[in-house]
Amino acid sequence: MATRSPEPPGRFSLLALLAGEKYELGLAQLSASKYGAPELRGEALPHSRLVRDLGLATATGGGNLATTELAAVAAAVRPQLVFDLLGAERLEVSGASDISLPRFDGGVGGWISEGDPASSMSTTVQTATATAHCAAARLGLSRKVRNGSRPDTEAAILAEISAAVQNTIEQGFIAGTGSNSQPIGLVNIAGIGTKTFAGAVPTWPELMDMLELIGDADGDVTRANWLIHPSMAAALLKLLIDPDGGELAVVWADGAHRIAGVPLAISSNVPEAKVILAQFDTVQQVYFGAPQIIDDRFSGGKAISGASEIVVMNFCDVVARDPGLIVVGNA
């Protein structure tokens, strides 16, 4: 007897999850139970691991759940950062327990005579601990927006959530101080290389000094990237290598702005007075469990005004496996 394939489920809606509808709540419970939700404060949200795992299943085993809409929500609540674009590895783990990652301080070998033992390595293998820090991104919604046409409203809300989450996490990963529940961002990690600029804008020799620091740390400048604030980018785009010459420090080549052949990236979350040069493939982003969402419709008089806020929380941290391959210039 022929059997009919199961109907694919309805589209996943963020607003429907907040309204407590069964399909969305079921996926939230699946995400929380399978990947953990640190200090669960709201509803768990789908993320890339859940979308991937559901996509690997057959239709009867849940494969139909990996809809385009589910992937869109996952991408919005845990979006790509500038770190991802520069090659930093992203690690997603279940639960909220600290994890230890290897951290290397380099080593040397030596030449030996026939029959002699090899010289002992001086490589120091340490560990860097990733801890679940909570990045909470808030977005205000009016009553009219909440009750609008869901497909149209959903896309706009997801776009705003993505921007808010990206800026919140990126700011912490770059400039977090390690206090007030923040992670320790790249510019504050112990052991990084530093260069002090004489003025508000670095000179060409000062930028080359940063490249030299990467090389002195046994780095590979062909795998490095510059990362700067838009204001610093505007200043460097006008910088001449030689004040009496006509060659600019920043040039466009092979689809990217470059300084001395090294690609240049821009983020408003970099402190304006700093210039970062790093091998981002030695930087590890760590995300713990599933992201979560809280619907706040009552605090601060919201129940009367009709306004509301949704808070998207990600538990995450950033780790530098080789701090010497990060150089920060300071004006």
Side-chain angles (χ1 to χ4, degrees):
M1 178 178 177
T3 58
R4 182 182 178 185
S5 299
E7 293 291 339
R11 61 182 299 276
F12 185 93
S13 166
L14 195 66
L15 294 179
L17 174 65
L18 297 177
E21 296 187 14
K22 290 183 178 180
Y23 171 61
E24 282 74 14
L25 286 177
L27 283 180
Q29 292 168 1
L30 174 63
S31 186
S33 62
K34 189 170 184 180
Y35 304 108
E39 300 178 14
L40 189 62
R41 303 170 187 177
E43 295 295 343
L45 288 166
H47 54 96
S48 58
R49 287 184 66 194
L50 179 63
V51 174
R52 179 202 64 197
D53 290 352
L54 291 176
L56 293 175
T58 62
T60 55
N64 282 335
L65 296 177
T67 64
T68 302
E69 291 80 7
L70 183 62
V73 174
V77 298
R78 193 166 279 177
Q80 295 280 296
L81 309 183
V82 68
F83 283 22
D84 294 285
L85 302 178
L86 298 179
E89 185 178 355
R90 177 181 289 220
L91 176 64
E92 296 189 0
V93 299
S94 299
S97 299
D98 290 358
I99 64 169
S100 295
L101 298 171
R103 177 172 168 174
F104 304 101
D105 288 341
V108 296
W111 297 92
I112 59 174
S113 300
E114 182 71 22
D116 289 344
S119 56
S120 61
M121 291 289 290
S122 62
T123 302
T124 302
V125 181
Q126 302 176 340
T127 58
T129 301
T131 301
H133 299 274
C134 182
R138 305 177 72 91
L139 180 66
L141 299 175
S142 68
R143 181 187 290 117
K144 186 175 182 179
V145 169
R146 292 184 65 93
N147 295 331
S149 173
R150 279 189 180 167
D152 296 337
T153 304
E154 186 93 6
I157 291 174
L158 289 179
E160 291 299 320
I161 286 176
S162 179
V165 173
Q166 177 185 352
N167 284 326
T168 301
I169 299 178
E170 207 168 89
Q171 193 281 330
F173 281 7
I174 293 173
T177 62
S179 59
N180 299 321
S181 302
Q182 299 177 19
I184 301 177
L186 291 193
V187 302
N188 293 313
I189 289 175
I192 62 173
T194 58
K195 172 66 181 179
T196 301
F197 304 143
V201 179
T203 63
W204 177 258
E206 288 171 339
L207 292 172
M208 295 306 97
D209 287 345
M210 294 180 65
L211 276 174
E212 182 181 3
L213 288 172
I214 287 279
D216 289 344
D218 295 327
D220 182 354
V221 295
T222 65
R223 292 159 51 196
N225 288 85
W226 303 94
L227 179 59
I228 57 177
H229 187 275
S231 296
M232 182 63 77
L236 291 179
L237 283 167
K238 297 179 284 188
L239 177 68
L240 293 171
I241 293 178
D242 182 348
D244 297 324
E247 187 176 0
L248 291 169
V250 179
V251 298
W252 179 265
D254 298 326
H257 284 103
R258 296 173 183 270
I259 300 175
V262 177
L264 173 67
I266 299 172
S267 170
S268 60
N269 294 303
V270 179
E272 287 191 38
K274 295 185 183 297
V275 174
I276 301 172
L277 175 65
Q279 274 188 226
F280 285 90
D281 56 2
T282 66
V283 174
Q284 188 97 45
Q285 307 170 83
V286 183
Y287 291 87
F288 297 83
Q292 301 170 41
I293 189 167
I294 292 177
D295 186 17
D296 179 8
R297 287 186 266 178
F298 303 103
S299 68
K302 295 188 185 74
I304 297 175
S305 67
S308 68
E309 288 183 330
I310 55 176
V311 183
V312 175
M313 298 182 294
N314 278 277
F315 292 81
C316 51
D317 200 2
V318 63
V319 172
R321 296 198 305 273
D322 193 339
L325 300 183
I326 301 169
V327 178
V328 177
N330 300 276

